[in-house]
């Protein structure tokens, strides 16, 4: 047992994901309310306040009314120390969202009961699946007319390829919403609006053993329907199996209404019991256990200009083992230096606070003078190892970028390189050309606007973007291959990333297969890793 085991074991670090508008912000606020981190959810005016405090850093965000950045909140609840990694709500910022998932031990997926699985949820899910991240599903807005419950579960199973296990079951929806049936405790939690915005509101609990009481409580028709559904469910639904949940193969499903604060605390309590304390992480010297005494962490996100007064960057890191103490020296492995992390900070509810200590599972943001890259490892000075790299997610849109004023070449290169280092865009060079013309790849097209905007505002460089037709990018896994001899299809383009790794761009997905066929031995991958060099 390490010296910090008890502190580490009480930590729970999860990402909260959803399609925009499903209710992620509202649910997060209610969590904070239970944790006492804010007084009354009602007194915080929705997302405006919550998001302002943490991400009021870019005009484009205000202009478009979307959240570009993601934030981390920490709060205490029932002896647990909880870190919530919020993810950008707009689908165009999904690469950052993907990376945020790498820092979490589990994910809470919020689904709008009237919409089911939506595009963004599907994408994020793929990433959770890749890492076997456990997923907990909260089907929200049951106070509005929702889809048939079985259909909702079917939808999750089919669309996301994961088994579902409802922990509770809704009784009606919309105006007819009467609450949920707890399948384990075999009682009903009655829905009421009265607890809106407070944490004191008591939920009325009615056991269903006595069917007469059940009928009196929810009415004849609803009782019949519920009994029928319970029967069906007990026969058809997957059994609850914690191991399967933790392996990311089974998602426990909860129903509720974040806005009216119904089912939120119940969800939180179940979730905290089901999810794990900080998990061990893989490195090049083997698995690193979280409760060893030596500190280690990796950088998963870099954010520019959070504070407009200074042109600073914040590197967010997940602590993977031991304890962080603001006065200690750490080794930045990729940078080859021993240093002290400056201005370590943590976001507590809506405030940024300077922290003095943190433990495995926690997320800290430190001032970055431009030395950190996504995926970098920090450890004790006497150690030297690297955490498994964070994959580079395949961009789906590409454009050739040129500077308008060629005199500003230096600023241009500096700007695009720095923005790429933060991970908002990926930059490539066409084979055999320099940096005058570069190809930028992004996960969502809005990032092109962000790039243009930031180059103008921060680097005083105007650019012209010429969209390219490519949509599929592949990293070449077997690097010894002779790129010049590679024979592809007519729609294929050979490029290199800044580290010199060869890549291929394709317009059509079938060209990928064709190229593989024409070049025996060639191995292609949809993901690059930060470790490639
Ligand atoms: P997001 O972070 O996932 O994008 O969603 P957010 O919580 O901002 O919620 C989106 C809208 O849905 C908000 O309304 C919010 O009040 C509403 N909402 C969230 N949970 C529930 C629920 O359980 N039931 C109902 N009926 N509505 C819910 P808005 O009018 O767009 O924003 P606001 O002005 O209320 O902030």
């Amino acid at each position: 047992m390490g010296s910090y085991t008890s502190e580490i074991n009480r930590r729970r670090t999860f990402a909260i994901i959803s399609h925009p508008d499903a209710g992620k912000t509202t649910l997060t606020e209610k969590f904070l309310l239970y944790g006492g981190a804010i007084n009354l959810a009602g007194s915080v005016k929705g997302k405006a306040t919550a998001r302002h405090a943490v991400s009021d850093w870019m005009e484009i965000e205000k202009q478009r009314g979307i959240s570009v950045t993601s934030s981390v909140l920490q709060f205490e609840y029932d002896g647990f120390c909880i870190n919530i990694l919020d993810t950008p709500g707009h689908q165009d910022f999904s690469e950052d969202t993907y990376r945020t998932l790498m820092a979490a031990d589990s994910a809470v997926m919020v689904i709008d009961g009237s919409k089911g699985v939506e595009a963004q949820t599907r994408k994020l899910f793929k990433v959770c699946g890749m890492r076997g991240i456990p997923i907990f599903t909260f089907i929200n807005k049951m106070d509005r007319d929702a889809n048939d419950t079985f259909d909702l579960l079917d939808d999750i199973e089919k669309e996301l390829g994961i088994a579902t296990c409802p922990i509770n079951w809704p009784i009606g929806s919309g105006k007819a919403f009467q609450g949920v049936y707890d399948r384990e405790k075999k009682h009903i939690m009655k829905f009421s609006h009265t607890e809106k915005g407070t944490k004191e509101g008591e939920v009325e609990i009615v056991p269903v053993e006595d069917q007469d009481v059940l009928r009196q409580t929810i009415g004849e028709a609803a009782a019949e329907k519920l009994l029928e559904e319970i029967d069906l469910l007990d026969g058809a639904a997957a059994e609850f199996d914690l191991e399967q949940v933790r392996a990311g193969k089974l998602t426990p499903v909860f129903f509720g209404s974040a806005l009216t604060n119904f089912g939120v605390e119940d969800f939180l309590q179940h979730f905290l019991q089901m999810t794990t304390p900080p998990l061990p992480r893989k490195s090049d010297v083997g698995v690193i256990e979280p409760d060893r005494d030596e500190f280690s962490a990796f950088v998963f996100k870099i954010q520019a200009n959070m504070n407009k007064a200074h042109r600073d960057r914040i590197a967010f890191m997940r602590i993977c083992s031991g304890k962080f103490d603001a006065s200690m020296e750490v080794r930045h492995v990729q940078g080859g230096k021993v240093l002290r992390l400056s201005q370590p900070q943590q976001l507590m509810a809506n405030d940024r606070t300077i922290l003095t200590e943190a433990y495995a599972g926690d997320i800290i943001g430190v001032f970055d003078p431009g030395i950190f890259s996504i995926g970098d490892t920090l450890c004790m000075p006497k150690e030297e190892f690297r955490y498994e790299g964070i994959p580079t997610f395949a961009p789906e849109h590409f454009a050739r970028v040129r500077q308008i004023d060629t005199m500003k070449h230096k600023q241009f290169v500096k700007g695009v390189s720095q923005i790429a280092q933060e991970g908002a865009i990926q930059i490539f060079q066409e084979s055999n050309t320099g940096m005058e013309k570069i190809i930028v790849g992004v996960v969502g097209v809005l990032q092109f606007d962000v790039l243009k905007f930031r180059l103008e505002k921060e680097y005083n460089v105007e650019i012209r973007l010429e969209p390219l037709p490519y949509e599929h990018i592949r990293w070449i896994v077997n690097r010894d291959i002779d790129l010049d001899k590679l024979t592809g299809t007519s729609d294929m383009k050979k490029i290199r990333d800044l580290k010199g790794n060869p890549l291929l761009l394709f317009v059509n997905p079938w060209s990928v297969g064709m190229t593989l066929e024409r070049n025996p031995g060639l191995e292609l991958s949809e993901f690059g890793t930060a470790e490639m060099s």
Side-chain angles (χ1 to χ4, degrees), residues 180 234 255 350 369 383 409 421 442 448 455 459 465 498:
V180 294
D234 290 346
F255 294 83
N350 291 334
E383 295 188 302
H409 187 60
Q421 200 183 1
V442 298
F448 286 138
L455 283 174
Y459 300 90
L465 282 152
L498 289 193

Side-chain angles (χ1 to χ4, degrees), residues 346-399:
Q346 204 160 30
L347 295 159
M348 309 277 287
N350 291 334
D351 295 321
R352 275 211 261 173
T353 50
I354 298 292
L355 68 101
T356 49
E357 57 178 54
Y359 297 88
D362 289 341
I363 310 294
I364 57 172
V366 304
F367 172 72
D368 172 20
I371 57 171
F372 295 117
S373 291
I374 307 267
D376 284 2
T377 299
L378 291 111
C379 58
M380 299 302 283
K382 63 178 182 197
E383 295 188 302
E384 185 157 357
F385 63 84
R386 290 162 192 244
Y387 278 108
E388 200 179 46
I390 294 183
T392 304
F393 297 97
E396 290 167 21
H397 308 276
F398 298 86

Side-chain angles (χ1 to χ4, degrees), residues 175-436:
K175 288 205 177 70
F177 184 52
Q178 303 213 51
V180 294
Y181 166 68
D182 185 317
R183 293 181 64 208
E184 190 204 355
K185 300 199 181 96
K186 300 200 187 312
H187 65 214
I188 281 170
M189 295 166 66
K190 266 209 88 185
F191 173 64
S192 84
H193 281 281
T194 51
E195 67 268 33
K196 189 171 179 170
T198 74
K199 60 173 175 175
E200 284 78 22
E202 289 280 314
V203 177
E204 191 190 340
I205 304 245
V206 185
V208 301
E209 268 164 8
D210 186 338
Q211 294 197 359
D212 289 338
V213 177
L214 176 69
R215 289 193 169 85
Q216 274 166 25
T217 316
I218 61 173
E220 194 74 41
E224 281 316 312
K225 184 161 186 268
L226 178 64
L227 290 169
E228 219 173 83
E229 287 180 337
I230 293 174
D231 254 5
L232 253 173
L233 194 61
D234 290 346
E239 289 217 11
F240 181 75
D241 177 340
L242 192 58
E243 252 177 59
Q244 292 281 91
V245 171
R246 290 186 174 173
K249 297 198 167 115
L250 175 72
T251 178
V253 181
F254 300 79
F255 294 83
S257 159
L259 183 69
T260 59
N261 205 3
F262 180 80
V264 176
E265 189 169 26
D266 192 50
F267 170 65
L268 184 60
Q269 286 168 347
H270 274 99
F271 167 71
L272 291 172
Q273 296 307 327
M274 291 176 188
T275 188
T276 53
L279 292 172
R281 301 262 160 175
K282 284 191 203 142
S283 79
D284 61 356
V285 294
V287 167
I288 305 286
E289 292 297 330
D291 69 347
R292 69 209 276 276
D293 284 352
E294 292 79 18
F295 162 83
S296 66
F298 69 86
V299 177
F300 67 94
K301 184 173 135 67
I302 292 173
Q303 190 164 294
N305 296 2
M306 270 180 94
N307 183 344
K308 260 194 237 132
H310 325 115
R311 285 230 322 210
D312 58 1
R313 307 206 307 191
I314 306 268
F316 284 91
M317 49 190 80
R318 146 110 191 189
I319 303 181
C320 300
S321 70
K323 178 186 175 184
F324 171 75
D325 171 337
S327 65
M328 75 197 217
E329 290 198 312
V330 298
R331 175 181 300 281
H332 173 213
V333 178
Q334 278 78 355
K337 285 211 172 82
V338 169
L339 43 92
R340 213 168 252 126
L341 298 176
S342 43
Q343 301 174 18
Q345 44 193 276
Q346 204 160 30
L347 295 159
M348 309 277 287
N350 291 334
D351 295 321
R352 275 211 261 173
T353 50
I354 298 292
L355 68 101
T356 49
E357 57 178 54
Y359 297 88
D362 289 341
I363 310 294
I364 57 172
V366 304
F367 172 72
D368 172 20
I371 57 171
F372 295 117
S373 291
I374 307 267
D376 284 2
T377 299
L378 291 111
C379 58
M380 299 302 283
K382 63 178 182 197
E383 295 188 302
E384 185 157 357
F385 63 84
R386 290 162 192 244
Y387 278 108
E388 200 179 46
I390 294 183
T392 304
F393 297 97
E396 290 167 21
H397 308 276
F398 298 86
R400 191 173 279 128
V401 176
R402 272 175 235 264
Q403 70 212 86
I404 290 173
D405 179 355
T406 46
M407 299 299 283
K408 292 190 177 156
H409 187 60
K410 245 174 138 176
Q411 290 100 303
F412 171 68
V413 173
K414 186 172 168 208
V416 284
S417 309
Q418 286 192 346
I419 295 171
Q421 200 183 1
E422 288 159 24
I425 56 165
Q426 291 179 38
I427 48 179
F428 308 99
Q429 273 166 275
E430 300 186 41
S431 277
N432 315 323
T433 63
M435 285 288 277
E436 301 78 46

Side-chain angles (χ1 to χ4, degrees), residues 62-196:
K62 276 191 240 152
Q63 284 167 9
R64 298 194 179 234
I66 52 164
S67 176
V68 182
T69 56
S70 55
S71 57
V72 187
L73 300 170
Q74 188 183 64
F75 69 99
E76 297 268 336
Y77 175 80
D78 199 18
F80 291 100
C81 176
I82 300 166
N83 294 296
I84 304 188
L85 291 146
D86 188 14
T87 50
H90 198 282
Q91 57 183 359
D92 271 337
F93 289 86
S94 37
E95 195 171 8
D96 230 6
T97 314
Y98 293 156
R99 280 192 285 259
T100 298
L101 286 173
M102 300 292 136
D105 295 308
S106 63
V108 165
M109 171 167 74
V110 187
I111 289 181
D112 181 332
S114 68
K115 304 236 169 84
V117 176
E118 294 177 84
Q120 186 167 351
T121 328
R122 215 172 285 134
K123 274 192 178 176
L124 294 172
F125 212 84
K126 221 171 135 183
V127 179
C128 291
M130 209 172 79
R131 265 204 52 212
I133 299 176
I135 314 257
F136 298 83
T137 307
F138 186 81
I139 300 192
N140 190 31
K141 303 199 185 180
M142 293 309 294
D143 59 308
R144 292 236 185 108
D145 288 338
N147 295 357
D148 175 78
T149 316
F150 285 106
D151 288 350
L152 280 167
L153 298 181
D154 246 23
D155 193 30
I156 297 174
E157 301 208 344
K158 284 214 188 83
E159 289 270 2
L160 310 178
I162 184 170
T164 58
C165 175
I167 304 299
N168 60 28
W169 192 258
I171 305 166
S173 69
K175 288 205 177 70
F177 184 52
Q178 303 213 51
V180 294
Y181 166 68
D182 185 317
R183 293 181 64 208
E184 190 204 355
K185 300 199 181 96
K186 300 200 187 312
H187 65 214
I188 281 170
M189 295 166 66
K190 266 209 88 185
F191 173 64
S192 84
H193 281 281
T194 51
E195 67 268 33
K196 189 171 179 170

Side-chain angles (χ1 to χ4, degrees), residues 452-470:
K452 199 167 181 328
F453 183 90
R454 287 190 55 190
L455 283 174
E456 269 167 36
K457 290 273 165 209
E458 295 170 28
Y459 300 90
N460 200 18
V461 175
E462 271 190 81
I463 55 161
R464 188 166 291 133
L465 282 152
E466 175 199 338
L468 296 171
Y470 308 102

